[in-house]
Amino acid sequence: MRTKKRLFIMVVLLLIVSVSLVAKGAQETDGPKPVKLTFWAGSAYYNSEEAKRPQNEWAITKIVQQFEAENPGITVEVIPIELSSETIAKFKAAAIAKNGPDVIELWTGSYIFPLKDVLLPLNDYIPADDLAKISGWDAVTYNFEPGGDILGYPCGNNYAGLVYNKALVKAAGMDWDKNPPKTTDEFKTALRKIKATGVVPFGFDGSKGRILHYATIYWWVEESGYERLVTNADGRTKYEDDKGFLNLLSFMRSLFEEGLTNVDAATSVDYEAKFSSGQYAVTVGGVNNAMAFEAALGAENFGFLPFPQMSANPKVTASIIGGAGNCVSIGNYTKHPEEAAKFVSYLASKSAFIELTKSVTTFPARTDVTLEELGWSDDPFRMKIYELSKNFAFWVDNSIPANQYDEMKRFFPNVLTGKLTPVEFARQMDKLVKDKE
């Protein structure tokens, strides 16, 4: 009898333990599951110098680690990429197959708009504080239309203009700190004086269209305005009749023809090295390569020149070009939209931007970060850019269809060297627009 009673008690105890274990297991199963995000990160999040070091030493790695510490259960794998047309095509193919990254860095404006069908609209995910304190939302809003789908978070702001070697300019009898050229006629006269000293006045790479992207294309939008860029691009008006476009090309052609540029401008690929070594007096540049130029020339010899005015009646009256050229977006196929949105918001936080500026050189895309907080309050170049950035012209290449800008990059060297006249090239652009219809 006792044996049966003991056996009954043991069975009951086993049942109680079993039920308890099952209940505990159910609780563990019902809890939050770990989330892993993949992030394709480009030049807005690491630089070429960092790329030479282990990835765990990069600024973006520290930012991700901090995000993970503040958000237990979420991990982020950072995959470095070189942002290019090929990378974007690869992303689109992966997105269509629904196996692309959760988060990716992209170019803004006309580059991101064609990807609308594979990106997650962020309008319902962006905290009000982000909307209020982050700048550049128009560059990631579909077709630049107020109230449209927001397709990404601005990464940061880059700005460009003309940079110069103060010692070489001074050797030609000029002081651009006190008396900079204010018009393109004055600029050309100044380049002639520099040429007389035996130095290349204005050196740049025309082979990849960087001279257009970084600088002189500003003179087109200055005279023609952004609306004309749009109507040229969609065929309502013609490039051939666009005075600003033709004047830009004619001016650059005249500089080359007069020997005021490097003779290999159409094929050159090393303008940064030559400017840094004192072979060029003036080149194009901005926030992203300023640190390298300053280190090579010395801060006392590195100068920044806002664009001299070309048009007598400008429609755009800025003096630098730039803005939010890059952004981070989320694929609409992600299985973790809430977590991905939380991550991109963190990337755009004040603390993340301050950490990033220790390695990458863009200005934070926030209105609540001061020069003092960035450690730039005693940096003359960044103080100057900070003031000029209050009135800038947005990147032209981000404002027109990518295929049209690619055509400009490809054939600009032919215009520069006289193989194509400005009018012939304008007609070629009009044909490209018509063939796309």
Side-chain angles (χ1 to χ4, degrees), residues 111-122:
Y111 292 101
I112 195 177
F113 299 156
L115 299 172
K116 181 178 183 292
D117 291 343
V118 296
L119 297 178
L120 180 71
L122 300 179

Side-chain angles (χ1 to χ4, degrees), residues 80-335:
I81 60 169
E82 181 177 345
L83 190 53
S84 65
S85 299
E86 291 75 18
T87 303
I88 293 175
K90 178 181 176 183
F91 163 70
K92 188 169 185 179
I96 291 172
K98 302 189 183 304
N99 61 4
D102 298 281
V103 179
I104 181 173
E105 179 184 337
L106 295 167
W107 291 317
T108 62
S110 58
Y111 292 101
I112 195 177
F113 299 156
L115 299 172
K116 181 178 183 292
D117 291 343
V118 296
L119 297 178
L120 180 71
L122 300 179
N123 305 57
D124 295 334
Y125 294 92
I126 302 172
D129 193 59
D130 285 0
L131 284 173
K133 294 179 180 177
I134 294 172
S135 61
W137 290 115
D138 53 338
V140 293
T141 302
Y142 186 65
N143 280 348
F144 302 110
E145 294 175 356
D149 286 346
I150 298 175
L151 302 178
Y153 260 76
C155 289
N157 295 319
N158 190 13
Y159 303 99
L162 302 173
V163 294
Y164 66 95
N165 184 317
K166 291 184 179 183
L168 297 181
V169 169
K170 186 177 180 180
M174 296 175 289
D175 184 343
W176 287 358
D177 281 340
K178 295 179 180 178
N179 188 26
K182 295 181 174 60
T183 68
T184 49
D185 285 341
E186 291 179 6
F187 180 56
K188 184 182 280 190
T189 298
L191 294 182
R192 290 176 183 138
K193 291 180 180 179
I194 295 170
K195 181 183 179 183
T197 68
V199 174
V200 174
F202 188 15
F204 53 81
D205 291 353
S207 60
K208 295 182 179 179
R210 183 164 287 190
I211 181 67
L212 286 172
H213 167 65
Y214 259 162
T216 59
I217 205 166
Y218 165 81
W219 285 316
W220 172 25
V221 75
E222 178 196 77
E223 182 160 352
S224 298
Y226 283 98
E227 184 178 350
R228 182 59 190 260
L229 269 62
V230 173
T231 57
N232 284 354
D234 64 20
R236 283 178 287 165
T237 56
K238 292 183 177 296
Y239 281 97
E240 184 181 355
D241 301 325
D242 187 338
K243 185 179 177 182
F245 185 68
L246 297 175
N247 284 348
L248 158 68
L249 298 174
S250 296
F251 179 71
M252 294 305 297
R253 167 65 185 147
S254 74
L255 295 183
F256 182 83
E257 194 172 31
E258 198 174 327
L260 300 177
T261 72
N262 46 317
V263 295
D264 64 343
T267 57
S268 173
V269 293
D270 58 356
Y271 84 100
E272 290 176 316
K274 287 180 178 175
F275 176 73
S276 297
S277 61
Q279 296 179 57
Y280 299 161
V282 184
T283 191
V284 292
V287 175
N288 67 323
N289 51 15
M291 288 176 68
F293 287 155
E294 282 181 317
L297 301 179
E300 70 282 0
N301 278 327
F302 175 67
F304 180 82
L305 179 68
F307 292 112
Q309 185 173 310
M310 176 178 284
S311 174
N313 299 292
K315 289 186 173 63
V316 173
T317 55
S319 55
I320 57 173
I321 196 166
N326 295 42
C327 65
V328 278
S329 300
I330 300 172
N332 61 8
Y333 48 82
T334 181
K335 296 177 181 178

Side-chain angles (χ1 to χ4, degrees), residues 21-74:
L21 288 173
V22 169
K24 184 178 180 182
Q27 287 178 350
E28 291 177 353
T29 302
D30 292 341
K33 295 180 180 179
V35 169
K36 180 179 179 180
L37 303 174
T38 55
F39 172 33
W40 287 9
S43 60
Y45 294 100
Y46 74 95
N47 63 36
S48 57
E49 289 303 312
E50 279 187 314
K52 298 173 185 177
R53 305 197 301 268
Q55 193 169 328
N56 60 9
E57 297 179 10
W58 297 6
I60 184 59
T61 302
K62 296 176 184 177
I63 291 168
V64 166
Q65 289 172 343
Q66 185 62 37
F67 170 78
E68 291 173 342
E70 295 179 18
N71 296 274
I74 306 176

Side-chain angles (χ1 to χ4, degrees), residues 37 39 64 67 76 103 338-348:
L37 303 174
F39 172 33
V64 166
F67 170 78
V76 182
V103 179
E338 296 284 348
E339 292 84 355
K342 183 180 289 189
F343 175 59
V344 296
S345 174
Y346 190 86
L347 287 178

